Amino acid sequence: MTTPSGFDELIHPSTRLSVVALLAATEWADFPFIRDSLSLSDSALSKQLHTLEEAQYLEIQKEGGGRKRRTKVRLTDRGRTAFEGHVAALRAIVDGAAKSAPPGSAASSAPETAAARAGSGTSRRPGGAGPESPRTEAHR
């Protein structure tokens, strides 16, 4: 299998992918929010942000000074385009694997089973005790 168009080696490592995915969901994010959301140390996050900034995928703004210094981060248009292309490439890889799986294998039947469960509307409580209440399903 060839690597699909849009696959981005820079974004692909899990920490960078997590950073970019988090930033794709917002306009700007504060450094502590990113750090805490991804359970990273300051130094680990700084290193990943620096790598992504060098590729012009991020813009970093530092405001204030001393102990009140605040670092804000956002995806650039280039970073957002790279992320969207990478996600599309990952989907193409997953879809290609599912299509090439032998009939009846877990890989070929898993999407159908999940889709069937999602569309059935009759979730079961653990232990098979019957349908869950609509209130329980709505709060998942």
Side-chain angles (χ1 to χ4, degrees), residues 78-125:
R78 180 179 181 159
R80 191 168 302 278
T81 299
F83 174 67
E84 290 168 358
H86 189 68
V87 169
L90 292 174
R91 286 192 177 122
I93 292 169
V94 171
D95 291 347
K99 289 177 185 171
S100 64
S105 70
S108 66
S109 62
E112 293 172 19
T113 304
R117 276 193 305 245
S120 71
T122 56
S123 300
R124 296 258 176 220
R125 290 187 183 138

Side-chain angles (χ1 to χ4, degrees), residues 122-126 130-140:
T122 56
S123 300
R124 296 258 176 220
R125 290 187 183 138
E132 294 181 348
S133 72
R135 178 170 163 68
T136 303
E137 288 180 13
H139 287 90
R140 283 192 174 167

Side-chain angles (χ1 to χ4, degrees), residues 14-91:
S14 62
T15 302
R16 279 188 228 135
L17 182 58
S18 297
V19 168
V20 174
L22 183 65
L23 292 172
T26 186
E27 182 64 30
W28 287 93
D30 290 323
F31 185 95
F33 172 77
I34 301 166
R35 178 197 62 213
D36 297 345
S37 295
L38 302 178
S39 300
L40 295 171
S41 67
D42 286 356
S43 62
L45 178 56
S46 291
K47 180 179 178 182
Q48 300 307 324
L49 293 179
H50 178 72
T51 300
L52 291 164
E53 183 184 35
E54 281 185 336
Q56 299 177 346
Y57 286 3
L58 300 181
E59 178 183 346
I60 299 175
Q61 283 187 355
K62 297 184 186 252
E63 300 172 346
R67 296 181 57 82
K68 300 217 182 229
R69 188 169 194 155
R70 181 175 170 192
T71 301
K72 294 174 22 175
V73 184
R74 76 169 186 95
L75 276 181
T76 61
D77 290 340
R78 180 179 181 159
R80 191 168 302 278
T81 299
F83 174 67
E84 290 168 358
H86 189 68
V87 169
L90 292 174
R91 286 192 177 122

